Amino acid sequence: MATMQEVAKRAGVSKATVSRVLTGKGYVGEETKARVFQAITESGYRPNLLARSLASSKTQTLGLVVTNTLYHGVYFSELLSHAARMTEDKGRRLLLADGKHSAEEERQAIQYLLDLRCDAIIIYPRFLSVDELDEIIDNHSQPLVVLNRRLRKHASHCVYSDQKASSMSVVSRLITRGHRDIAFITGSLDSPTGIERLSGYKEALAQHGIEVRNELITEGKWTPASGAQGVAELLSRKATFTALVASNDDMAIGAIKQLHESQFAVPQQVSVVGFDDIAIAPFTVPALSSVKIPVTEMIKETINRLIFMLDGGDFHYQQTFPGELITRDSITDGPHA
């Protein structure tokens, strides 16, 4: 493998000149730069990125920690594609670390990115608690921003959508449209998002004086198959309902399929709504109504905030991104309208 000294010899310059060309620090004439770059190309020299980062204290990278249980979903695909594109737009690279299956493994993933000297890190946690995340931010100087979790101590280091409020809003909308018997398919209940959406459902019913009926609640696992299984479970209980809320669109699509196979028409007999407003939602039959979570805007705010912190800025406010119900063909008025 070629060395910097070999590049310098081939270009007829000193090693220090090659270093200045690579780091962009110090003046080097255009003719000399051209000779150095030509020598790099001819020799196949690849700069030692770690050594350069140690010298400059910057790697031009942003880290992202996400647990692998989210990888299969459309939501994560959208999140990752936006994060990668926006990081590239900022002239940086995105490095992904797997948070795996526990709080300790999420900690290890964060430490892994810190050890790689990422300039800043985005954390999309599933297992770490709010207190643990606040502690991690306290103990590290690199900018860290937590996505989709509301922190108590470091409010300016989190960007989130109020999942409970969004769930309350959509359930209340169904109630005002005449539905009283509303079923709910939860997400995984070891997920903060799943817990908050279920809490919003219960709170909305309570605010409207409607009893929470446990037979109308079933747990899903974020997948279409678990949405179908959730409907099968509800029907096996002989539960009656005129509307169904699924905690994400994948489960809502599975639920619609199972309702169709069980001879229930959507929305004439059962209105269905999901969360996340994935790209396929307008193209299902019927077109799926869904709560749009502004992933693009949240990622943009997160990366802009990290870059601002890297430039020495500081935030003293907290920003919430509200969900918005996109009404399509899968919901209609209920019997009490």
Side-chain angles (χ1 to χ4, degrees):
M1 182 179 293
T3 65
M4 187 182 292
Q5 186 61 52
E6 292 173 35
V7 171
K9 183 177 180 180
R10 186 184 288 265
V13 298
S14 69
K15 186 177 175 181
T17 299
V18 175
S19 178
R20 286 199 298 273
V21 171
L22 291 173
T23 61
K25 294 182 177 179
Y27 174 77
V28 180
E30 292 303 319
E31 182 182 345
T32 303
K33 281 184 184 178
R35 291 207 315 274
V36 170
F37 283 127
Q38 183 178 352
I40 288 172
T41 301
E42 291 173 351
S43 66
Y45 173 68
R46 294 181 64 84
N48 186 319
L49 296 179
L50 180 58
R52 286 175 60 187
S53 70
L54 288 171
S56 66
S57 299
K58 299 293 182 184
T59 62
Q60 302 303 311
T61 59
L62 298 182
L64 172 62
V65 175
V66 183
T67 177
N68 63 37
T69 55
L70 294 175
Y71 291 0
H72 64 81
V74 176
Y75 176 85
F76 175 74
S77 298
E78 183 180 358
L79 183 152
L80 184 58
S81 66
H82 290 311
R85 188 183 71 252
M86 293 176 190
T87 302
E88 181 181 3
D89 290 344
K90 297 294 184 180
R92 288 171 163 82
R93 289 186 180 275
L94 183 70
L95 300 183
L96 176 66
D98 182 5
K100 297 185 180 178
H101 311 291
S102 68
E104 180 55 33
E105 287 171 315
E106 284 185 335
R107 280 183 179 275
Q108 291 171 3
I110 295 167
Q111 189 59 53
Y112 173 74
L113 293 174
L114 290 169
D115 290 343
L116 287 178
R117 302 179 65 82
C118 286
D119 296 332
I121 297 173
I122 304 166
I123 307 169
Y124 193 109
R126 178 166 183 179
F127 302 106
L128 285 165
S129 70
V130 167
D131 290 339
E132 288 172 320
L133 291 164
D134 274 327
E135 178 189 11
I136 288 169
I137 293 170
D138 272 335
N139 292 334
H140 294 91
S141 59
Q142 290 96 326
L144 305 173
V145 170
V146 175
L147 188 59
N148 205 37
R149 191 79 67 82
R150 182 176 184 175
L151 301 181
R152 282 190 282 267
K153 186 175 180 181
H154 294 283
S156 62
H157 287 254
C158 63
V159 175
Y160 68 96
S161 181
D162 192 330
Q163 306 290 349
K164 180 178 178 180
S166 294
S167 183
M168 289 176 61
S169 177
V170 70
V171 174
S172 293
R173 183 78 65 87
L174 288 169
I175 293 170
T176 59
R177 293 194 61 168
H179 295 279
R180 297 294 181 272
D181 300 313
I182 303 172
F184 193 85
I185 302 177
T186 77
S188 299
L189 293 181
D190 60 352
S191 158
T193 296
I195 293 170
E196 289 178 18
R197 289 176 179 173
L198 173 60
S199 177
Y201 162 79
K202 291 180 175 180
E203 181 117 351
L205 293 179
Q207 286 185 356
H208 290 270
I210 299 173
E211 180 186 2
V212 175
R213 296 161 51 196
N214 289 329
E215 70 269 20
L216 291 181
I217 302 172
T218 184
E219 184 176 353
K221 298 295 181 184
W222 304 117
T223 64
S226 71
Q229 178 58 39
V231 168
E233 175 66 24
L234 291 168
L235 295 179
S236 73
R237 300 173 186 170
K238 308 298 182 184
T240 58
F241 52 94
T242 64
L244 181 147
V245 177
S247 288
N248 75 349
D249 289 344
D250 282 358
M251 293 192 297
I253 290 169
I256 289 174
K257 183 176 187 296
Q258 187 61 46
L259 285 166
H260 175 74
E261 292 180 354
S262 302
Q263 308 302 311
F264 285 87
V266 178
Q268 292 85 353
Q269 292 174 278
V270 180
S271 291
V272 176
V273 61
F275 278 82
D276 299 336
D277 194 36
I278 62 177
I280 199 174
F283 302 100
T284 62
V285 179
L288 179 63
S289 298
S290 180
V291 178
K292 179 178 178 61
I293 303 298
V295 177
T296 304
E297 291 79 6
M298 290 169 67
I299 288 290
K300 183 177 181 180
E301 171 63 22
T302 298
I303 292 175
N304 284 340
R305 192 174 297 193
L306 285 172
I307 299 300
F308 184 77
M309 291 176 178
L310 286 170
D311 290 339
D314 193 17
F315 282 86
H316 300 283
Y317 66 90
Q318 183 168 288
Q319 186 169 1
T320 305
F321 289 80
E324 175 191 4
L325 176 61
I326 308 299
T327 302
R328 300 191 179 96
D329 300 336
S330 66
I331 58 175
T332 191
D333 291 342
H336 301 281

